[in-house]
């Protein structure tokens, strides 16, 4: 039975409210195409210091700190799991320079701004400065999709965020370990000894945990349905054991554990990472709501003119100078250097880790550690709002956008696929046609359609293809099994609502029907590869018609009774692919792409 906390809200209801606010903010941000972190910040501040409904310290008591600590440990572990050293070695020179040169310079610049501008001591500045080099992959990814940057600047920003996520957290953990040891040690020699022991112990436990998980999963010692539970229990076990043996070493241990697993080439690695990403979304939401709601009005009121100067110094000094220095004397054009230098949104990892370390520093007697959390909130809010609204126009002004319309990736090089690609190009869309068979791409190349030769699921495609530029995937090869495999594998990347597939030849038979969890959505009249290409041989083709108030959907249907509407591009630029159960709606100015006999579409544009 829940026990009242004395604030009018018992812990169970408070936990439900935290979940509702966090996940609800993320969903609302998705619907409104806004940065989720801004809405989560507003929700937490409104429920906490604003209305006083949520008071985590009072409602969760002594459990609040361990709850946040475990959540941060899992978040950092997930950050370590995205850092595959093989991918890093294959990355462009600019990305390596941003990490190897830019990260240390960014740490130094951030710590200097914190000390000289924000007025923090060197202890707090060193810890917080390490976290500040994290630009936040969860914030960068939606911004890149919205801005539709060209491949190289998008890759620079995306890989910097992915790699610097664990690197920044690791830098903060190491700096914090130094502060802990210096405050507890009686001499410099003892401090160095304690620090070496802490780093060594955390490294051993992290490596042991990662090696144990990789070994047991590879040897089949853990059944598939237990892999995720075993992974989480091992993660929490390593964190708790390392923290128990040496205070505050657990975060370093789990980060190293994630790095080890990421580079173990596990067959189930993708499934592990995706499930953990889902869990991380929940934890990030919860931690952000808890930390923002737990801030007092007095703490927020302490954000004075120095906090404003600090944010401005980070945006215009601590971010651009290290980036420009790191990319100097590289083959990266100056426009791309400038865009990367002026783009540095911080995310939830910064707030979560900063809030945790700020409290720990305050407990060590470093009073200005309490100022870290509000400064982190101010920095995140300012950078996310600034870059959320300025990245697209700045990139467009610099000529670095890949296009302002949705992109479509088509798998398969048949006549139907080429005609579909040409029809989509008539709508002004960016189209790429991919096929692992070089001969299948001949017609596309002759038609001038952009092509990619190779397996779309290969590591080479992951490194070379600018997936961010494409919102929709259409699997249309002559191999039904391959179509299903690609649609299922890439559905989490594109979103299941944006992945389409031609009907399988034997799909009507219950013996061969697949569950709804596999494959993509039907497109057009839901016909097979062979039926569609047979229609192409009979003279069918794609035509574009523009609807108006006079010539609406009903009039279009009356004039083209046999035509199959495949896609609709709204007047505002939104693309909607149609299946057999989707109806054509009236929308003046919308363009309809239909698959129709040539004799019915000789008039072309309506």
């Amino acid at each position: 039975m829940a026990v009242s906390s004395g604030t009018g809200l018992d812990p169970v209801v408070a936990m439900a409210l935290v979940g509702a606010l966090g996940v609800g903010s993320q969903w609302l941000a998705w619907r409104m195409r806004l940065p989720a972190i801004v809405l989560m910040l507003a929700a937490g501040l409104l429920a906490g210091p604003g209305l006083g409904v949520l008071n985590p310290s009072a409602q969760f008591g002594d459990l609040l700190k361990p709850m946040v600590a475990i959540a941060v440990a899992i978040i950092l572990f997930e950050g370590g799991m995205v850092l595959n050293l093989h991918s890093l070695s294959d990355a462009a020179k600019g990305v390596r320079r941003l990490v190897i040169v830019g990260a240390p310079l960014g740490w130094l610049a951030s710590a200097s701004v914190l000390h000289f501008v924000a007025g923090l001591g060197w202890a707090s500045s060193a810890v917080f400065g390490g976290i500040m080099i994290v630009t936040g992959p969860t914030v960068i990814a939606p911004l890149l999709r919205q801005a539709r940057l060209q491949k190289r600047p998008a890759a620079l920003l995306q890989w910097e965020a992915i790699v610097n996520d664990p690197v920044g957290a690791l830098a903060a953990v190491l700096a914090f370990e130094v502060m802990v040891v210096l405050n507890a040690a009686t001499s410099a020699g003892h401090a160095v000894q304690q620090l070496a022991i802490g780093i060594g112990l955390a490294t051993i436990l992290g490596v042991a945990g990662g090696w144990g998980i990789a070994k047991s999963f590879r040897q089949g010692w853990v059944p598939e349905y237990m892999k995720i539970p075993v992974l989480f229990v091992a993660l929490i076990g390593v964190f708790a054991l390392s923290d128990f043996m040496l205070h505050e070493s657990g975060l370093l241990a789990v980060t190293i554990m994630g790095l080890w697993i990421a580079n173990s080439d596990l067959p189930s690695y993708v499934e592990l990472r995706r499930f953990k990403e889902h869990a991380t979304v929940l934890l990030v939401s919860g931690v952000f709501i808890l930390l923002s709601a737990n801030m007092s009005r007095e703490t927020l009121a302490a954000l004075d003119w120095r906090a404003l100067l600090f944010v401005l110094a980070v945006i215009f000094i601590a971010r651009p100078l290290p980036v420009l220095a790191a990319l100097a004397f590289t083959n990266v054009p100056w426009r791309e250097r400038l865009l990367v230098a002026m783009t540095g949104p911080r995310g939830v990892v910064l707030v979560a880790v900063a809030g945790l370390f700020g409290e720990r520093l305050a407990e060590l007697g470093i009073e200005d550690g309490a100022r870290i959390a509000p400064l982190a909130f101010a920095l995140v809010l300012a950078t996310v709002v600034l870059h959320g609204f300025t990245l697209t126009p700045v990139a467009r002004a610099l000529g670095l956008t890949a296009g302002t319309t949705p992109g479509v990736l088509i798998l398969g090089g048949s006549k139907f696929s080429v005609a579909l690609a040409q029809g989509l190009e008539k709508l002004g869309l960016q189209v790429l046609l991919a096929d692992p068979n070089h001969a299948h791409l001949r017609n596309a190349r002759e038609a001038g359609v952009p092509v990619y030769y190779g397996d779309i699921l290969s590591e080479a495609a992951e490194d070379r293809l600018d997936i961010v530029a494409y919102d929709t995937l259409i699997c249309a090869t002559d191999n039904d099994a391959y179509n299903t495999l690609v649609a299922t594998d890439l559905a989490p990347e594109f979103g299941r609502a944006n992945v389409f597939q031609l009907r399988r030849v034997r799909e009507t038979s219950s013996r061969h029907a697949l569950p709804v969890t596999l494959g993509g959505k039907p497109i057009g009249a839901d016909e097979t590869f062979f039926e569609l290409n047979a229609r192409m041989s009979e003279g069918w083709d794609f035509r574009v018609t523009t609807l108006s108030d006079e010539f609406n959907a009903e009039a279009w249907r009356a004039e083209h009774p046999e035509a199959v509407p495949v896609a609709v591009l709204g007047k505002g630029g939104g693309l909607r692919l149609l299946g057999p159960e989707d109806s054509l709606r009236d929308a003046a100015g919308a363009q309809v792409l239909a698959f129709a006999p040539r004799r019915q579409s000789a008039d072309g544009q309506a």
Side-chain angles (χ1 to χ4, degrees):
M1 181 176 178
V3 179
S4 174
S5 63
T7 62
L9 205 62
D10 64 49
V12 175
V13 177
M15 182 61 71
L17 179 60
V18 169
L21 290 175
V23 177
S25 297
Q26 297 227 25
W27 176 83
L28 188 61
W30 169 75
R31 291 287 297 178
M32 300 175 64
R33 296 187 177 182
L34 294 174
I37 194 169
V38 175
L39 295 185
M40 286 192 291
L41 174 63
L45 292 177
L46 181 63
L51 300 176
V53 176
L54 192 61
N55 186 352
S57 293
Q59 288 151 354
F60 300 111
D62 294 337
L63 291 177
L64 179 61
K65 289 183 179 179
M67 283 167 52
V68 173
I70 291 176
V72 171
I74 296 175
I75 292 170
L76 294 185
F77 173 71
E78 197 273 336
M81 279 195 70
V82 301
L83 182 51
N84 188 302
L85 298 180
H86 173 71
S87 299
L88 178 60
S89 64
D90 292 339
K93 180 180 179 180
V95 178
R96 295 197 298 270
R97 290 285 294 271
L98 283 174
V99 176
I100 297 172
V101 179
L105 289 178
W107 188 1
L108 177 61
S110 298
S112 300
V113 166
L114 285 164
H115 180 70
F116 294 109
V117 179
L120 296 185
W122 280 115
S124 298
S125 299
V127 176
F128 191 18
I131 312 168
M132 283 173 55
I133 68 175
V134 176
T135 52
T138 56
V139 179
I140 280 289
L143 289 182
L144 293 180
R145 286 191 177 275
Q146 182 181 357
R148 300 186 181 280
L149 298 184
Q150 293 178 1
K151 182 178 180 180
R152 184 160 53 185
L156 287 172
L157 288 169
Q158 188 172 32
W159 276 104
E160 181 202 17
I162 290 173
V163 176
N164 275 354
D165 191 33
V167 169
L170 190 61
V173 170
L174 291 175
F176 183 72
E177 288 293 327
V178 172
M179 296 303 110
V180 171
V181 170
L182 289 177
N183 278 270
T186 56
S187 64
H190 185 227
V192 173
Q193 180 184 6
Q194 287 292 102
L195 181 62
I197 292 174
I199 296 174
L201 178 64
T203 302
I204 292 172
L205 288 175
V207 170
W211 178 86
I213 288 292
K215 180 75 172 178
S216 60
F217 285 8
R218 190 178 290 111
Q219 296 297 324
W221 296 342
V222 179
E224 289 295 326
Y225 75 94
M226 287 193 65
K227 284 186 176 180
I228 298 299
V230 168
L231 177 65
F232 269 86
V233 169
L235 160 64
I236 296 174
V238 168
F239 172 71
L241 180 61
S242 182
D243 245 21
F244 175 77
M245 297 180 68
L246 190 65
H247 194 49
E248 305 301 349
S249 62
L251 294 177
L252 177 59
V254 296
T255 303
I256 294 174
M257 179 179 172
L259 286 168
W260 187 276
I261 294 176
N263 294 276
S264 298
D265 295 326
L266 290 177
S268 55
Y269 170 72
V270 175
E271 290 81 3
L272 294 177
R273 198 184 80 183
R274 281 179 179 165
F275 181 88
K276 228 172 43 48
E277 285 174 349
H278 298 160
T280 303
V281 169
L282 292 173
L283 293 172
V284 161
S285 303
V287 168
F288 204 85
I289 295 296
L290 286 172
L291 292 176
S292 57
N294 204 43
M295 295 183 66
S296 64
R297 296 179 182 179
E298 292 75 16
T299 303
L300 293 173
L303 292 174
D304 53 9
W305 60 271
R306 300 196 71 166
L308 176 60
L309 289 180
F310 157 72
V311 171
L312 294 175
V314 171
I315 294 174
F316 295 107
I317 298 176
R319 168 64 181 176
L321 293 185
V323 171
L324 294 175
L327 296 179
F329 308 109
T330 65
N331 60 350
V332 180
W334 70 267
R335 287 188 178 87
E336 298 180 12
R337 297 185 198 179
L338 184 60
L339 181 68
V340 174
M342 298 305 297
T343 306
R346 271 63 174 188
V348 287
V349 173
L350 171 71
V351 173
V353 180
L356 178 64
F357 284 161
E359 289 186 1
R360 300 293 172 85
L361 287 171
E363 292 173 358
L364 291 175
I366 303 174
E367 295 182 359
D368 56 10
R371 295 182 56 202
I372 289 180
L375 287 174
F377 276 107
L379 180 62
V380 167
L381 179 61
T383 55
V384 169
V385 172
L386 173 67
H387 299 304
F389 289 102
T390 63
L391 179 58
T392 300
V394 169
R396 190 177 296 124
L398 292 173
L400 297 176
T401 54
T404 59
T405 55
V408 181
L409 178 60
I410 303 175
L411 185 65
S414 67
K415 290 183 179 180
F416 171 80
S417 297
V418 174
L420 174 60
Q422 290 177 308
L424 292 170
E425 286 183 330
K426 289 179 182 177
L427 294 177
L429 304 179
Q430 180 181 355
V431 181
L432 180 68
L433 202 150
D435 199 299
N437 189 319
H438 191 270
H440 291 175
L441 296 173
R442 184 193 311 171
N443 291 335
R445 289 194 298 268
E446 291 176 353
V449 176
V451 299
Y452 174 77
Y453 166 55
D455 196 318
I456 202 71
L457 299 179
S458 66
E459 289 187 2
E462 184 177 351
D463 294 338
R464 297 174 187 174
L465 277 184
D466 186 12
I467 296 294
V468 173
Y470 305 96
D471 291 345
T472 306
L473 170 66
I474 302 174
C475 300
T477 72
D478 59 351
N479 189 327
D480 290 333
Y482 184 62
N483 289 341
T484 303
L485 173 65
V486 174
T488 303
D489 190 77
L490 295 183
E493 303 293 333
F494 286 86
R496 296 190 182 277
N498 301 317
V499 175
F500 297 82
Q501 175 184 353
L502 301 187
R503 181 166 64 84
R504 301 169 72 244
V505 173
R506 299 183 178 180
E507 198 169 69
T508 56
S509 168
S510 60
R511 188 186 295 265
H512 298 94
L514 295 176
V516 295
T517 55
L518 299 178
K521 297 170 59 180
I523 185 172
D526 194 19
E527 295 179 297
T528 67
F529 171 89
F530 302 101
E531 291 170 340
L532 291 169
N533 281 280
R535 289 187 184 275
M536 291 292 300
S537 300
E538 295 171 0
W540 284 56
D541 204 351
F542 286 91
R543 292 292 184 270
V544 176
T545 305
T546 302
L547 300 181
S548 64
D549 292 330
E550 297 77 18
F551 191 77
N552 56 19
E554 185 178 352
W556 180 89
R557 173 53 66 193
E559 186 170 323
H560 306 284
E562 295 184 27
V564 179
V566 175
V568 177
L569 184 68
K571 193 174 181 180
L575 177 67
R576 185 169 68 100
L577 292 188
L578 304 177
E581 298 180 357
D582 297 322
S583 59
L584 191 60
R585 306 169 188 167
D586 288 333
Q591 293 179 287
V592 179
L593 178 67
F595 190 46
R598 280 203 183 99
R599 63 178 181 274
Q600 289 192 345
S601 300
D603 57 338
Q605 296 275 344

